[in-house]
Amino acid sequence: MDVGDISWSRGGDRQKEKDAVLFDAPGVTRLVDVRCQRDPEWSLQLLQRAAPSLEELSVHHPSEAHLLAVHAMPRLRRLHVTSVPAPYRGNPNIPDFAKPPTEEPRPRHALQWLRVWGLPRVTLGTLLRAHRESLEELQLSVGTAEPLLEVAAVALVDKMSSCKAEPQPWWPYNGGDLHIQVVRLHDQLPLPWRGLRALRRLVLERSSVFHDAAHCVRQLAQMRPLVDGAEVLCDKCDGVAGEEL
């Protein structure tokens, strides 16, 4: 079920069509292009009604409540999730991402494929830890280290959108600390790379993020020892096409 068109409408618009989608949702196994920010209440109802049977899902700009609904889906195998990158989250026109979902244990046959853009690091870490026994492939949009571009980009975002962005970390545009395995911020755990027991492939996607060839080689080399033999690739350098649901 593709709801990209109807989920772009705001709350109260196209209500009869939305009611029909909710009616048809139980039993579906594939749900794509759920845009949570336009009509949060309806999109949450949709996720909840489809939850028991859903195996494939793409969801955009979820709130905490939406992510909790996703987190509780017992049959979900493939998930594509996008959010508002951190530098833009201070913009009043873009809804806040809120908190990560409460972590719950997952059976070994749970999520196997995950594609991510723009999730806060702490939320990404929660998802990775929850599915550490089953996740086989991760496609993660994250940049290489670009300290000079980082400073310039922060200044540009502040000027154009009045966002109160923190220069560090400039996530996911700058991923120079992707491999760090020690706690550097009092409220932020490192990403749990060593705990991903089933991981076979990690693809770092570079569209719309910083990418420098020399830094990329270094980043891939830093990541490989952390993922216990999994293939680590850059989509730009290695010519890997991102997989869609």
Side-chain angles (χ1 to χ4, degrees), residues 14 37 59 91-92 112-113 124 130 135 143 148 162 165 174 195 202:
R14 303 176 64 177
Q37 80 277 25
V59 61
N91 189 327
Q112 297 170 347
W113 182 92
L124 174 61
L135 188 64
L148 295 180
S162 299
N174 185 326
L202 170 62

Side-chain angles (χ1 to χ4, degrees), residues 160-174:
M160 295 183 65
S161 62
S162 299
C163 296
K164 301 304 180 183
E166 293 293 335
Q168 290 289 343
W170 181 251
W171 175 270
Y173 301 103
N174 185 326

Side-chain angles (χ1 to χ4, degrees), residues 79-95:
L79 172 64
H80 180 195
V81 57
T82 67
S83 182
V84 180
Y88 296 93
R89 226 167 280 135
N91 189 327
N93 296 318
I94 300 176

Side-chain angles (χ1 to χ4, degrees), residues 209-224:
V209 297
F210 302 145
H211 179 267
D212 173 83
H215 282 133
C216 182
V217 171
R218 185 179 305 116
Q219 186 182 56
L220 297 183
Q222 290 168 333
M223 290 302 300
R224 288 188 178 107

